[in-house]
Amino acid sequence: LWFSGHFHLSHNYRESIGVYGNCAFVQVGVMGDCSRDGFRQSRMVAGDEDGYELYTVDHGTGEIRLDMRHEYADGLPVPNVLLPEEEILCDPSKGWLCAESSCLIDEDEAITHHWLDAGFQCLLSIQDNMIVEYDALTQAPVGIVCTDLAGREVRWVDLHGCELPLENGYAAVALELYGKDGVERVERNRSGGFCRVFQTNKYHRWLNSQTVDVGKTTKVALQ
């Protein structure tokens, strides 16, 4: 079992439990008031040497729901199918996400999203003077494309450098941010999105430093 509670979404989605290989990836909701879709839920696991049961605890109603039962002898775990009255289906006409709250520190402050469909299950949101990438399937933020728009406009460009209509983002190879000071080009990454790494992964940085140290040691030994 692999639990993740970063999305502040409930368990009432078909994708809230996904089984890949021998591991079940489980979305975990929130017990407090900062819930993006209005439900306050957490998980409970009960098990013994033969297997386990995975439940949803609804802190609004006090109800407990069995979401998955897995006997180790049966092979892979299989999530239960949500009942129609339990499942949340997102309406794209309402901004793509099911969120009712952005979980702001100051709830009087509102965030306005301007959505750009980039294709490949990738959505870009222009919000708070930034561009944030979301995954269309899980309704979750993936990463940051731009940390400061600074008054610039955005446009899609195709393989030949020609500007595309904003609704044709699926055909874009890059996103350009342009203004009076020039143009910044953001290429589509290997995952099909546009989010960028603004800080080097600390583990990779450590590995690189180890490689450099080994190289120096080898050079000294050869001398």
Side-chain angles (χ1 to χ4, degrees):
L1 290 169
W2 183 299
F3 294 94
S4 173
H6 299 289
F7 299 153
H8 283 237
L9 293 170
S10 69
H11 312 159
N12 296 351
Y13 300 88
R14 190 175 305 171
E15 299 86 4
S16 64
I17 301 176
V19 179
Y20 303 93
N22 292 318
C23 184
F25 294 84
V26 181
Q27 165 67 22
V28 181
V30 294
M31 298 170 59
D33 296 328
C34 185
S35 170
R36 295 170 60 204
D37 54 18
F39 290 91
R40 298 169 50 235
Q41 297 177 341
S42 62
R43 298 285 189 184
M44 180 174 69
V45 180
D48 54 28
E49 66 273 10
D50 297 322
Y52 62 84
E53 293 179 337
L54 178 67
Y55 296 88
T56 283
V57 179
D58 193 309
H59 297 275
T61 65
E63 297 178 351
I64 297 177
R65 182 183 72 208
L66 177 63
D67 287 337
M68 185 168 63
R69 177 185 288 112
H70 177 46
E71 299 290 337
Y72 298 134
D74 292 341
L76 297 180
V78 179
N80 292 350
V81 177
L82 289 170
L83 298 175
E85 60 267 25
E86 297 172 331
E87 185 176 3
I88 295 177
L89 298 175
C90 298
D91 183 358
S93 68
K94 295 182 179 179
W96 296 94
L97 301 181
C98 297
E100 296 179 358
S101 170
S102 297
C103 296
L104 300 172
I105 296 175
D106 182 0
E107 288 294 342
D108 294 330
E109 179 185 353
I111 291 181
T112 301
H113 298 268
H114 177 65
W115 296 99
L116 299 175
D117 188 353
F120 304 96
Q121 295 292 338
C122 171
L123 293 170
L124 303 186
S125 171
I126 300 176
Q127 61 185 73
D128 284 350
N129 203 37
M130 302 186 301
I131 302 179
V132 182
E133 180 178 327
Y134 288 78
D135 177 78
L137 184 61
T138 60
Q139 295 90 46
V142 175
I144 302 296
V145 179
C146 172
T147 58
D148 185 6
L149 272 174
R152 293 175 292 179
E153 301 291 332
V154 301
R155 65 190 175 201
W156 300 118
V157 291
D158 63 15
L159 187 62
H160 305 289
C162 300
E163 183 175 355
L164 294 167
L166 287 179
E167 62 270 20
N168 290 0
Y170 63 89
V173 298
L175 178 73
E176 288 188 344
L177 317 176
Y178 63 96
K180 61 181 180 180
D181 295 326
V183 178
E184 179 183 0
R185 182 182 173 95
V186 183
E187 301 282 347
R188 197 182 284 273
N189 57 40
R190 290 181 296 178
S191 301
F194 292 89
C195 64
R196 296 184 284 179
V197 177
F198 291 90
Q199 182 181 14
T200 306
N201 181 283
K202 293 181 175 61
Y203 177 67
H204 290 167
R205 191 165 59 204
W206 176 81
L207 285 179
N208 290 335
S209 68
Q210 295 296 103
T211 302
V212 171
D213 290 342
V214 170
K216 290 180 178 178
T217 302
T218 304
K219 184 176 181 180
V220 171
L222 289 175
Q223 289 176 344

